[in-house]
Amino acid sequence: MKSLFAAATFTLVLLASCTPKATPVAQAPKSATSTAEQLAQGKTIFETACKRCHDLPEPTKFTSVQWVGIMNSMAPKAKLTDEQHQWVYDYVVSVKK
Ligand code: HEC
């Protein structure tokens, strides 16, 4: 009886270990680098939202540090969301000097 119980327990453990684990939902990596798609979005937003009040500034005219400050003052003017702000910033600093 005792060995039967042990065998049953053993079978249960085996069964349990064969149960497929819940597959973790694939998540987009949270990385600082933006995808080509986000850069393209940023370019489009830049070219449409940033020329409403003045000529489009030349992305290469400012350093990435200067762009932080510019975007902080211009993103609210252009009514960008935080995401759009980030995309536009990523785009302008991605333009090769
Ligand atoms: C609602 C009007 C408005 C919109 C929209 C706007 N700007 Fe401006 N921008 C201004 C004004 C006014 C100035 C000049 C005064 C100042 O610097 O605040 C300016 C100045 C600038 C300058 C010059 C800063 C310097 O130090 O020489 C840059 C670069 C610039 N904007 C970039 C942008 C970008 C990028 C966007 C889009 C995200 C944008 N602007 C959208 C009104 C706007």
Side-chain angles (χ1 to χ4, degrees):
M1 197 59 187
K2 203 176 175 192
S3 62
L4 193 71
F5 177 73
T9 314
F10 183 60
T11 315
L12 272 181
V13 170
L14 266 189
L15 276 179
S17 62
C18 286
T19 315
K21 305 254 181 328
T23 347
V25 180
Q27 282 192 334
K30 279 220 188 308
S31 76
T33 46
S34 45
T35 64
E37 201 178 316
Q38 285 167 352
L39 288 182
Q41 289 258 36
K43 184 175 195 284
T44 307
I45 297 162
F46 174 73
E47 286 169 354
T48 49
C50 304
K51 64 170 184 205
R52 287 212 335 263
C53 306
H54 46 66
D55 287 343
L56 267 190
E58 192 56 53
T60 55
K61 227 181 102 186
F62 304 97
T63 66
S64 55
V65 173
Q66 287 173 309
W67 273 115
V68 172
I70 292 165
M71 286 308 294
N72 280 343
S73 60
M74 293 299 146
K77 283 195 204 292
K79 299 192 167 54
L80 302 187
T81 64
D82 287 350
E83 220 172 24
Q84 293 170 327
H85 176 159
Q86 186 65 48
W87 294 341
V88 171
Y89 175 80
D90 289 347
Y91 162 68
V92 290
V93 300
S94 78
V95 178
K96 293 282 174 289
K97 308 225 186 277

